[in-house]
Amino acid sequence: MPTAVPTDRERTAVQAYLRLLHTVRAAYDMETGPPGTRRPPAVAPSVLAEAETALARAGLSGNEESFFRMLRDWTLLLNCGK
C-alpha cells in the first residue's frame, strides 16, 4: 500500500493526469458553445505528451493498472481522515 504522501514524480503524474482528464471533459462538453453548433472533440497533443512523460518519470508508463490502484489507495487514505 502506498504512503499517504506521494513522491514528487507520482504527484506530477497525478497532476498531468488530472489536466488530461479536464481537457478531455472540456473537449466532449458540447454545451459550452453556441446553441446548435457542434465541434469535434480534440485534445491537444501537448497535454497527452505531458501525461505520458509524467507517467514515464514516475515509473508508471504502460502500467495504468498500478497508476489507478495508487489513485484509489490514496483516495481511501485521504478519506479515512475525514
Side-chain angles (χ1 to χ4, degrees), residues 11-27 43-44 46-48 50-51 54 67:
R11 186 175 18 262
T12 299
V14 170
Q15 290 169 339
Y17 166 75
L18 291 174
R19 278 190 291 279
L20 175 61
L21 179 64
H22 292 297
T23 301
V24 170
R25 281 184 178 164
V43 176
S46 61
V47 176
L48 292 170
E50 176 192 19
F67 177 72

Side-chain angles (χ1 to χ4, degrees), residues 39-63:
R39 56 187 160 84
V43 176
S46 61
V47 176
L48 292 170
E50 176 192 19
E52 289 178 4
T53 300
L55 288 170
R57 287 185 181 151
L60 297 165
S61 182
N63 197 347

